[in-house]
Amino acid sequence: MATDLSSQLRDIILNTHVPLVLPDFPINWECFDDSLQHWCTRYDQDASLGSLPAFESMDVTDCETPQWERKRKHVKMSMQKFLHNFTMTADKQPKEWAAYQYVRAHDIPPSCLSGIDFKCFGFAEHQNDYSLWLGSKGANTPCHYDTYGVNIVVQAYGSKSWLLFPPETPLQSTRIPYEESSVYCLENFYAPAPDKLQYYEQFQEHAYHCLLQPGDVLIVPRQWWHYVEAVSTSLSVNYWVPLKSDLDLTFDELLVKHVVESFVKGESNQLKQYLLNPNQLGEIAESASSLFSQFEHAVLKPSLDNKRKLWDTDYLTESEVLELLRSVRVCIRTLDVMPKEAYTQLITDNAKRHTQDRPGRKEDAIISSTLEQLINSMCAPRCIASIKQEFFRRMKQMIDYRAKTERLL
């Protein structure tokens, strides 16, 4: 096992099977040395002329379903206007939240990224492939898991609540809305229906929770479910560590993309906007063969794209990881399952959002429930795994046949 700090952290991050928090970690990224106000001022000063960031906004009382991206409004505004309009005082309840999130580094002024480098965690080869998440109180991401990578989250300003569940938790997975590499669930942790609180109690034995404060770092193991909500105006930075095992999942994601897109081609824009996450609307493949070309490029011919380092996981035993956690010279806290009282209090408090007057955006007439169930059934992980297994069985059979034929010749 490695002895220097960054290598030790890398080993821990790649081998942990439970979420970890590094409280008040000394990242020393100079772009966050001053206040959030200063960071936003610098953004406005250095952004491309006439280019305003596009924020999402959402009514806080829209609670009947998870707050899907398709239901959000989009508005361009300066960072200063965002702070003025959405940074509320303690005695004033916001009617909407706004967020500029999942923004790739290349879309941010370089002055606002000065010093950001994940080499302190052992990943110097990140190639600035990280994202920023800015949001006002209440900004949230519906519960989902990321198909690819291990997630490193650095909290720069404000605080965020993270509710996490291990992969085996019996949540109702859905690929509607479809987003490449994100699998959502139908459970609404933003505002559970009060009459369904008993249903939500079943997840307590799987629930982990942390409240990230400025300077804290969270490690989310691969394919852990998470519901994330800003408790105050918040800015965080995350990096998904690319794994060698991601290559095996690329084909799964392309199969899901093909299934979902086969149901939107030729359909109304309304149905497309229901089935596809907004960032997928412009990425509909022209044909199935073009999708397979992507698969060949990403998996069958990985040497064509050798710039991105892929990492192994699970190369240390559990006892070796525990030894590292004891010996590493920074504080690392292993998250534990939430106490029943704390979990009940969290979902009960969130359920109170249902008592407010709410406009609700009815979507019942857009798609039949039967068709929605069919799409999700076809995209279920076990079905996709069966297709992939059969595909590779046939590929092996074909390769073996060709080899046998060549020997006979």
Side-chain angles (χ1 to χ4, degrees):
M1 291 185 291
T3 55
D4 64 285
L5 179 59
S6 62
S7 297
Q8 287 178 320
L9 290 176
R10 183 184 63 224
D11 285 343
I12 291 170
I13 290 167
L14 291 173
N15 290 276
T16 183
H17 287 185
V18 294
L20 305 173
V21 174
L22 288 64
D24 200 21
F25 185 80
I27 53 171
N28 301 319
W29 294 346
E30 64 178 279
C31 58
F32 302 131
D33 283 347
D34 296 319
S35 66
L36 177 59
Q37 175 76 50
H38 282 89
W39 189 90
C40 290
T41 299
R42 194 182 315 123
Y43 186 106
D44 288 340
Q45 290 173 343
D46 297 349
S48 300
L49 187 63
S51 175
L52 291 174
F55 283 80
E56 301 173 328
S57 69
M58 186 81 185
D59 192 310
V60 299
T61 63
D62 193 325
C63 314
E64 293 302 319
T65 69
Q67 294 197 319
W68 305 121
E69 287 185 44
R70 65 174 180 250
K71 303 173 74 176
R72 301 172 190 174
K73 297 184 297 185
H74 295 83
V75 58
K76 290 188 174 183
M77 58 182 157
S78 68
M79 289 291 174
Q80 295 304 315
K81 187 173 182 179
F82 161 73
L83 291 178
H84 179 268
N85 290 358
F86 292 93
T87 304
M88 304 297 181
T89 58
D91 60 347
K92 187 176 180 182
Q93 292 299 318
K95 294 182 179 180
E96 291 183 327
W97 58 257
Y100 184 52
Q101 54 190 5
Y102 200 179
V103 184
R104 310 302 289 174
H106 58 74
D107 292 322
I108 301 288
S111 61
C112 293
L113 306 174
S114 178
I116 295 179
D117 196 333
F118 285 82
K119 68 181 180 182
C120 57
F121 302 105
F123 301 100
E125 303 87 348
H126 57 81
Q127 299 179 330
N128 294 335
D129 186 23
Y130 54 83
S131 302
L132 280 79
W133 306 72
L134 172 66
S136 63
K137 180 180 179 180
N140 67 88
T141 303
C143 188
H144 69 288
Y145 70 80
D146 304 310
T147 306
Y148 305 133
V150 175
N151 196 0
I152 304 174
V153 183
V154 177
Q155 191 67 25
Y157 300 108
S159 57
K160 265 188 176 177
S161 167
W162 282 74
L163 181 63
L164 305 110
F165 303 92
E168 66 271 16
T169 306
L171 297 164
Q172 300 180 83
S173 66
T174 179
R175 295 312 300 255
I176 302 172
Y178 166 74
E179 180 177 51
E180 194 271 333
S181 80
S182 295
V183 180
Y184 292 99
C185 73
L186 295 176
E187 283 75 18
N188 181 7
F189 289 100
Y190 172 77
D195 60 351
K196 294 182 179 178
L197 285 179
Q198 187 174 0
Y199 166 80
Y200 281 85
E201 286 287 354
Q202 70 177 303
F203 304 119
Q204 178 272 321
E205 64 187 39
H206 304 280
Y208 295 66
H209 182 261
C210 66
L211 187 63
L212 288 189
Q213 303 290 357
D216 291 349
V217 177
L218 172 66
I219 308 302
V220 183
R222 62 189 301 267
Q223 297 189 353
W224 270 62
W225 296 95
H226 48 284
Y227 167 72
V228 189
E229 180 177 333
V231 177
S232 63
T233 301
S234 163
L235 176 62
S236 54
V237 183
N238 92 293
Y239 172 58
W240 285 286
V241 179
L243 307 175
K244 289 182 179 178
S245 58
D246 293 344
L247 289 178
D248 183 53
L249 298 169
T250 303
F251 192 29
D252 302 57
E253 286 299 294
L254 289 172
L255 287 171
V256 172
K257 181 177 173 67
H258 171 64
V259 171
V260 177
E261 289 185 355
S262 69
F263 284 93
V264 303
K265 290 175 180 176
E267 296 289 350
S268 66
N269 287 333
Q270 189 180 37
L271 182 61
K272 289 179 182 178
Q273 290 164 7
Y274 182 87
L275 292 177
L276 303 178
N277 223 42
N279 60 334
Q280 300 293 149
L281 289 169
E283 298 184 7
I284 301 175
E286 293 183 3
S287 64
S289 58
S290 67
L291 268 183
F292 188 72
S293 295
Q294 294 177 37
F295 168 67
E296 285 188 303
H297 181 81
V299 180
L300 300 184
K301 301 175 182 176
S303 60
L304 295 176
D305 183 12
N306 56 8
K307 297 179 181 179
R308 200 171 190 226
K309 181 174 177 61
L310 302 177
W311 297 90
D312 280 313
T313 58
D314 299 334
Y315 52 82
L316 298 181
T317 65
E318 185 177 355
S319 61
E320 288 174 325
V321 175
L322 290 174
E323 181 184 342
L324 265 178
L325 287 170
R326 286 192 294 265
S327 63
V328 71
R329 64 178 187 272
V330 293
C331 179
I332 302 180
R333 178 165 58 90
T334 302
L335 290 189
D336 296 317
V337 173
M338 288 183 77
K340 184 174 182 180
E341 298 78 11
Y343 175 79
T344 300
Q345 188 66 55
L346 187 150
I347 61 171
T348 301
D349 287 345
N350 285 1
K352 292 176 182 176
R353 291 165 170 159
H354 260 272
T355 65
Q356 306 174 39
D357 293 331
R358 55 191 183 277
R361 179 175 165 182
K362 300 297 182 183
E363 299 180 311
D364 298 343
I366 296 176
I367 186 174
S368 74
S369 59
T370 305
L371 178 56
E372 189 160 357
Q373 293 287 7
L374 175 61
I375 296 171
N376 272 323
S377 298
M378 294 173 71
C379 296
R382 68 172 67 91
C383 294
I384 296 297
S386 295
I387 295 171
K388 184 171 70 171
Q389 183 180 21
E390 177 64 12
F391 170 75
F392 284 113
R393 185 192 70 80
R394 288 172 178 266
M395 287 288 289
K396 183 178 184 304
Q397 189 178 53
M398 180 182 69
I399 292 169
D400 290 347
Y401 175 77
R402 287 177 176 173
K404 183 178 180 181
T405 302
E406 289 175 359
R407 285 197 299 272
L408 292 174
L409 293 175

